[in-house]
Amino acid sequence: AEKDAVIASEIQTSLERFNIPKELRKKTGKQRFNRVFRDVEELPISSNLTEDIEEALKASEYLIVICSYRTSESDWVKREIDTFLELHDYNKQLILTVLVEGEPDEVIPEILRHDNITHYLADGSFYCRDEVVEPLSADYRMAIPKARKIELPRLAATMLGCNYDDIIRRRKAYKRTRLLIETAIISLAAIALMTY
């Protein structure tokens, strides 16, 4: 769907251009996000589309699911999620959701709204039970420029394994430093002109 495709393209481009703060580059060892694969644009013309997508899912560290009313009803999205989980030891923490419209319980696929939760008892024993959960989601139901500023760092923080606040604080510090440098340069230029 057009709206889903616009958001998917925005996230792909923004992540590929995302400037990881210097301190986080040192801490995580990542200089930038590697190529962000999007099946619509990057699949070759092939007689075996399923095999190509499976290879892409296998090579991917994370799966980002664009969640809209169309997503929750899509058999294709369900198959991609199932395949990704099979290839990544059923680790649902590697699947990130992005809300495009609707409420989470309406648009997030059913498989991502349930998890096997372990409960520990006082005597040291435990039991597991399937429970309804609401995964944390990036919220792109707002205007894209605002979402890029607020929600993209949320996705980036998860993918870098750091806190959202780390990225926001470091971005603000970078902007303050840049502003001070620009102000100093303008001041020096003004003094040079006045001296001349």
Side-chain angles (χ1 to χ4, degrees):
E2 187 179 345
K3 186 174 184 179
D4 298 5
V6 166
I7 299 296
S9 178
E10 158 65 24
I11 289 171
Q12 177 188 27
T13 304
S14 296
L15 281 174
E16 288 177 340
R17 293 180 182 167
F18 189 81
N19 183 21
I20 299 172
K22 188 176 180 180
E23 294 82 6
L24 289 177
R25 282 185 291 206
K26 288 178 186 174
K27 185 178 174 183
T28 64
K30 284 192 177 191
Q31 297 301 310
R32 57 191 280 291
F33 288 113
N34 292 332
R35 184 174 64 96
V36 177
F37 176 86
R38 196 162 69 104
D39 58 6
V40 172
E41 289 187 348
E42 300 188 39
L43 283 176
I45 296 172
S46 169
S47 59
N48 195 341
L49 193 61
T50 306
E51 190 176 290
D52 291 333
I53 287 189
E54 189 170 315
E55 282 302 311
L57 290 172
K58 187 176 185 178
S60 297
E61 195 174 343
Y62 289 92
L63 175 66
I64 299 175
V65 180
I66 306 298
C67 298
S68 67
Y69 292 113
R70 294 158 297 284
T71 306
S72 60
E73 298 167 359
S74 170
D75 289 332
W76 185 255
V77 171
K78 289 174 193 164
R79 281 179 35 209
E80 283 191 7
I81 292 169
D82 287 339
T83 302
F84 184 86
L85 287 171
E86 284 174 26
L87 296 169
H88 293 84
D89 299 323
Y90 291 91
N91 187 350
K92 289 185 181 180
Q93 293 179 3
L94 300 178
I95 299 178
L96 311 177
T97 55
V98 175
L99 298 177
V100 172
E101 62 188 3
E103 294 302 315
D105 61 334
E106 298 171 325
V107 298
I108 295 175
E110 186 74 23
I111 190 170
L112 300 178
R113 289 189 286 122
H114 287 267
D115 209 352
N116 202 14
I117 307 295
T118 303
H119 296 275
Y120 294 92
L121 303 174
D123 64 1
S125 63
F126 64 91
Y127 66 95
C128 297
R129 182 172 65 196
D130 184 62
E131 294 182 16
V132 174
V133 294
E134 184 178 310
L136 289 175
S137 301
D139 191 347
Y140 270 72
R141 295 175 291 184
M142 61 188 78
I144 287 179
K146 186 175 180 184
R148 187 184 307 129
K149 184 178 179 182
I150 298 170
E151 297 299 319
L152 187 73
R154 196 176 310 284
L155 286 173
T158 302
M159 294 168 73
L160 290 168
C162 67
N163 292 326
Y164 175 74
D165 288 340
D166 289 341
I167 289 181
I168 298 300
R169 265 197 317 272
R170 288 188 169 107
R171 274 184 154 186
K172 285 180 181 175
Y174 171 76
K175 284 180 181 177
R176 276 194 308 271
T177 303
R178 200 171 91 187
L179 182 64
L180 285 171
I181 291 170
E182 289 171 356
T183 304
I185 290 170
I186 291 169
S187 298
L188 287 172
I191 291 169
L193 279 173
M194 286 177 19
T195 305
Y196 179 71

